[in-house]
Amino acid sequence: MEQDITLKKEGQSLAFLKPLLAKITPKFQKGDLLAWLKKTGITILSITLFLGLWHMGSKALYNKEADFKIEKALTEQGQAAADAERACIESGESSCQPNTLPAPTQVWASLQSLIADHKVITADKAAFAEKMAATNEKLIAQGKNAIVYTGRASFIDIVLTSIKTVFAGFLLALLIAVPIGIIIGLSPTLRSAFNWFIQIFKPVSPVVWYLLVFMIVKTLYIGDNSDNAFVISFISVGLCAMWATLVNTAMGVSSVDKDYINVAKVLKLGTFQKVFKVILPSSLPLIFTGLRITLSVAWMVLIAIELLAQSQGLGLFVWEEFQNGANDSNSKIIVAMFVIGIIGFLLDRLMLTVQNMVSFNKNEGV
Amino acid sequence: MAYLELKNIYKTYGEDENVTEVLSDINLSIEEGEFVAIVGFTGSGKTTLVNLINGLLKPTSGEVLFKGEPVVDTSHERGVIFQNYSLLPWLTVGQNIYMAVKEAFPKESKSVLHERVKDYVSMVSLTPAINKRPKELSGGMRQRVAVARALAMNPEMIIMDEPLGALDALTRGNLQDEILNIWSQDKRTALLITNDVDEGIYMADRIIPLKPGPNATLGPEFKIEIERPRDKTALNDNLNYKKTRNAIIEYLMDIGEERKSVSHTKYVLPEISPKSFVA
């Protein structure tokens, strides 16, 4: 019975690896293989269906815009211009392509071009570092700042910046929300005193948090020309996302089972011992549920905040591509969308695994 | 002077108009080395009484004296075995007990404490399960851990709040024997709260019924004059046993009847009939 529960727990956190694991495990049975085939088959089918619908939809949109362009040329400039327009579109010339929802193939091509671009930029960076090595050494010897590469960032750099921002924000949220949550949870007086504060600030939108942080950080950085976009964005992300952890921690700490409190009293544990040996362990599952929500909220608001803070992350990338309006901009936006989604999913799984590791209640977590 | 003494204890919950008196006029004295059982119906205020004695609750009026000193807080001198085991689920069996002995003997070295934990775990024959979590144990095993935890602190008195209430009859019998065994070794004072008359007769020197609450109070005591060690199978043929058992049950049935007949409030139902929607 207990064994079953443990197995179930692993199955839950790593369910998406299960088909793969089942394939690797040598002693699988016929039934396993069938189940795996069925599961994988359905997954592949749903992906194919999704891509097919997407392809058809984008094609319809493409045709609609193309027809409109030709029609417009016909009414405004006559038959010859319309024919020229049609020929231009059909030739694949980039200047006259309809700019609409890109097809899956275009998105795939964009992804590859982004990766190729990353390789070019990395090579560039290496060359730059090599070229400047001697000069930089001299500069450092003279006590001056070294010259660093300031060219544009590649897509991979952008993704890494975003992940860095989200983790910095998450850490900030953890450092603020967990201690305050514990203190509020322990004292009913403080809880009611802080309640208005939490209720008012919890629903504030990410944009407003950004503006608030901007006001403060801008003044703190006054006279300093260094780039504070990263600081502003991670603080905004942290403040925005910490509320779930704060509320959950306070709730977990305040709702510890009365039996455990009685045990602590009968054993005559000191306050410190009581908090760290009884109250905190028993509220860990709720705290981690809060942290998991915080991480997903952090990743969600990150995009909007990076856009506003002009931080070199995915949010800014999406916005710049939209403003850019180049031929492959739309497909790059879709690439970014998938990357954001996949990273969000992986972060959530990561938190779930950690949550299951610390949780004594093996049945929790979905 | 009695070892544990309860004098005119009243305990009320709530305030002003919502006040309910759970216990009233409780007087009890237990001598050192005695095994006393308090038997009562569910909801009669047994757990409240236990919490007053172990120091988790304070009486509204009256006083609880332990060795002549008023009880103001919990103490390591009075070990408690709770009704629902109250083991910490994130600690293993060993860790649960270690936490208790560490508090009880703060000056002892780690190795001495570890030895003590091992001794008590083997005393309740749970050595193979020492590294298991409470979740992986059966109800009886969990209660044995709770017993070991309470005894490992070397209390002068053991207070048991329906310790075997949640167990099946067979496990219950085994654990009764185990508790009696441990008790007879160093004759600690013991107070057992139970809802099982047979359990009380088998284990205790004296049985005191608790009249059901609100306003629960202790009834007349019944002395159990059966030689120890008692034999469970022979007990059924013991005349003394039959007599005491019948007397206690009769008493409990009577107060049960009384309680029923006291509450004959009639509820007046409003006169309503279904509305007819057919015009």
Side-chain angles (χ1 to χ4, degrees):
Chain A
M1 184 69 191
E2 265 67 29
Q3 236 75 28
D4 271 344
I5 290 168
T6 325
L7 279 178
K8 199 175 159 199
K9 170 205 156 200
E10 278 165 11
Q12 277 173 343
S13 63
L14 299 168
F16 64 113
L17 282 179
K18 226 180 184 173
L20 198 71
L21 286 174
K23 202 181 157 197
I24 297 164
T25 328
K27 48 174 181 181
F28 63 87
Q29 291 160 342
K30 221 173 186 178
D32 290 348
L33 184 69
L34 262 176
W36 179 75
L37 276 178
K38 206 168 158 188
K39 216 171 167 182
T40 323
I42 290 174
T43 313
I44 291 172
L45 193 75
S46 69
I47 292 174
T48 321
L49 205 69
F50 170 73
L51 289 176
L53 278 176
W54 175 11
H55 180 79
M56 270 150 55
S58 69
K59 194 160 187 184
L61 289 169
Y62 178 93
N63 285 340
K64 187 176 160 107
E65 201 166 325
D67 285 349
F68 177 78
K69 276 191 165 182
I70 295 164
E71 195 68 19
K72 197 174 157 206
L74 184 68
T75 49
E76 282 173 10
Q77 290 158 317
Q79 188 61 46
D83 285 344
E85 184 74 33
R86 185 189 301 274
C88 179
I89 291 171
E90 274 165 11
S91 73
E93 172 78 35
S94 63
S95 61
C96 49
Q97 286 301 312
N99 193 11
T100 181
L101 178 74
T105 44
Q106 284 170 288
V107 173
W108 182 248
S110 285
L111 175 65
Q112 265 156 350
S113 86
L114 282 171
I115 291 169
D117 187 45
H118 169 71
K119 281 180 189 150
V120 171
I121 291 176
T122 316
D124 241 26
K125 259 191 216 169
F128 180 82
E130 205 176 314
K131 208 167 75 185
M132 299 307 291
T135 324
N136 273 344
E137 237 168 72
K138 254 186 238 162
L139 280 173
I140 290 166
Q142 286 166 14
K144 286 180 189 165
N145 286 337
I147 299 170
V148 290
Y149 183 82
T150 51
R152 73 199 164 83
S154 77
F155 187 66
I156 309 283
D157 294 336
I158 285 169
V159 171
L160 288 178
T161 310
S162 279
I163 292 177
K164 213 167 75 184
T165 315
V166 120
F167 273 107
F170 175 72
L171 216 64
L172 180 77
L174 185 136
L175 290 179
I176 296 177
V178 172
I180 293 183
I182 292 170
I183 293 168
I184 293 178
L186 286 175
S187 149
T189 324
L190 278 180
R191 194 153 62 242
S192 50
F194 264 90
N195 195 33
W196 67 271
F197 185 83
I198 295 172
Q199 298 305 332
I200 288 178
F201 283 96
K202 201 170 63 173
V204 169
S205 116
V207 176
V208 182
W209 275 117
Y210 161 73
L211 294 174
L212 186 77
V213 174
F214 175 73
M215 289 173 215
I216 295 165
V217 174
K218 185 194 70 182
T219 314
L220 290 179
Y221 268 67
I222 217 157
D224 187 346
N225 285 327
S226 64
D227 185 19
N228 55 17
F230 173 73
V231 177
I232 293 179
S233 45
F234 96 76
I235 294 178
S236 316
V237 167
L239 289 182
C240 227
M242 70 177 203
W243 301 97
T245 304
L246 182 62
V247 172
N248 268 31
T249 308
M251 197 169 84
V253 169
S254 64
S255 64
V256 173
D257 196 328
K258 198 143 193 313
D259 288 343
Y260 304 157
I261 301 287
N262 278 348
V263 169
K265 276 189 193 156
V266 166
L267 299 186
K268 290 192 87 68
L269 298 181
T271 315
F272 185 82
Q273 292 257 354
K274 190 167 115 186
V275 171
F276 282 90
K277 293 248 165 104
V278 177
I279 293 175
L280 274 188
S282 98
S283 41
L284 263 191
L286 261 182
I287 295 180
F288 266 86
T289 310
L291 286 176
R292 195 170 145 216
I293 300 172
T294 287
L295 190 59
S296 20
V297 170
W299 185 246
M300 223 158 74
V301 300
L302 173 83
I303 306 305
I305 282 172
E306 274 179 343
L307 185 163
L308 289 167
Q310 300 285 300
S311 171
Q312 277 294 343
L314 279 166
L316 188 63
F317 174 83
V318 169
W319 185 243
E320 278 179 348
E321 286 303 330
F322 177 65
Q323 295 293 347
N324 190 359
N327 222 15
D328 60 348
S329 283
N330 284 0
S331 42
K332 278 183 182 166
I333 291 173
I334 306 284
V335 171
M337 187 185 93
F338 277 111
V339 169
I340 290 166
I342 290 167
I343 293 176
F345 170 71
L346 290 178
L347 287 179
D348 191 59
R349 286 288 131 173
L350 181 79
M351 274 310 284
L352 184 60
T353 313
V354 177
Q355 187 185 346
N356 275 331
M357 253 155 48
V358 299
S359 168
F360 57 89
N361 196 348
K362 308 288 187 207
N363 292 325
E364 257 175 54
V366 179
Chain B
M1 190 185 60
Y3 192 65
L4 177 86
E5 213 170 352
L6 273 67
K7 283 185 182 163
N8 307 318
I9 298 282
Y10 285 83
K11 178 70 191 174
T12 56
Y13 285 122
E15 269 169 44
D16 300 332
E17 281 154 40
N18 298 322
V19 70
T20 34
E21 198 169 281
V22 183
L23 297 175
S24 55
D25 198 23
I26 300 269
N27 285 291
L28 172 71
S29 69
I30 298 177
E31 298 302 325
E32 191 161 1
E34 210 179 4
F35 198 131
V36 174
I38 291 178
V39 186
F41 291 98
T42 344
S44 57
K46 287 181 304 215
T47 299
T48 306
L49 182 60
V50 152
N51 286 345
L52 286 172
I53 295 170
N54 65 32
L56 283 173
L57 288 176
K58 286 191 180 63
T60 313
S61 73
E63 55 180 353
V64 182
L65 296 175
F66 181 70
K67 294 199 286 187
E69 299 282 320
V71 168
V72 285
D73 198 0
T74 55
S75 156
H76 289 155
E77 292 175 321
R78 297 183 300 277
V80 186
I81 301 172
F82 290 102
Q83 188 171 0
N84 38 14
Y85 327 132
S86 298
L87 301 174
L88 302 180
W90 54 90
L91 299 180
T92 63
V93 168
Q95 287 167 334
N96 262 297
I97 298 172
Y98 182 77
M99 191 169 162
V101 293
K102 204 175 157 228
E103 284 305 312
F105 309 100
K107 282 173 195 150
E108 291 288 357
S109 73
K110 224 174 180 173
S111 56
V112 173
L113 294 181
H114 278 297
E115 275 311 306
R116 197 175 176 85
V117 170
K118 273 184 207 155
D119 287 349
Y120 278 86
V121 170
S122 77
M123 186 185 78
V124 293
S125 42
L126 277 176
T127 308
I130 191 164
N131 287 322
K132 287 201 170 142
R133 305 256 157 121
K135 223 178 183 140
E136 301 167 71
L137 305 178
S138 68
M141 288 162 99
R142 282 183 220 180
Q143 194 54 281
R144 295 215 303 263
V145 179
V147 169
R149 180 175 65 181
L151 293 175
M153 297 173 80
N154 200 19
E156 296 178 27
M157 179 178 180
I158 322 167
I159 300 165
M160 294 167 272
D161 180 12
E162 293 196 50
L164 314 176
L167 303 179
D168 62 280
L170 292 172
T171 319
R172 199 185 249 244
N174 282 340
L175 260 177
Q176 283 168 0
D177 288 336
E178 261 178 69
I179 292 175
L180 274 181
N181 230 338
I182 296 161
W183 172 77
S184 62
Q185 276 165 27
D186 41 9
K187 292 271 177 193
R188 291 186 180 108
T189 314
L191 176 67
L192 171 75
I193 308 284
T194 181
N195 55 17
D196 181 349
V197 177
D198 292 335
E199 183 174 283
I201 297 175
Y202 180 58
M203 296 178 79
D205 297 321
R206 265 196 296 157
I207 289 189
I208 304 166
L210 185 67
K211 287 190 186 172
N215 300 324
T217 189
L218 293 175
E221 65 168 44
F222 294 87
K223 276 215 153 45
I224 317 290
E225 275 146 8
I226 302 173
E227 291 267 310
R228 289 180 194 273
R230 294 169 186 166
D231 183 352
K232 209 169 236 165
T233 43
L235 215 53
N236 279 322
D237 304 321
N238 189 317
L239 276 180
N240 226 335
Y241 168 77
K242 277 187 192 164
K243 213 173 68 194
T244 325
R245 185 170 187 270
N246 286 342
I248 297 172
I249 288 179
E250 206 172 308
Y251 177 78
L252 285 172
M253 296 297 270
D254 281 351
I255 54 174
E257 280 300 314
E258 224 173 87
R259 182 199 197 183
K260 255 185 241 161
S261 55
V262 166
S263 60
H264 48 236
T265 323
K266 282 214 171 128
Y267 294 97
V268 183
L269 297 176
E271 291 235 358
I272 39 174
S273 56
K275 188 180 172 184
S276 168
F277 287 98
V278 186

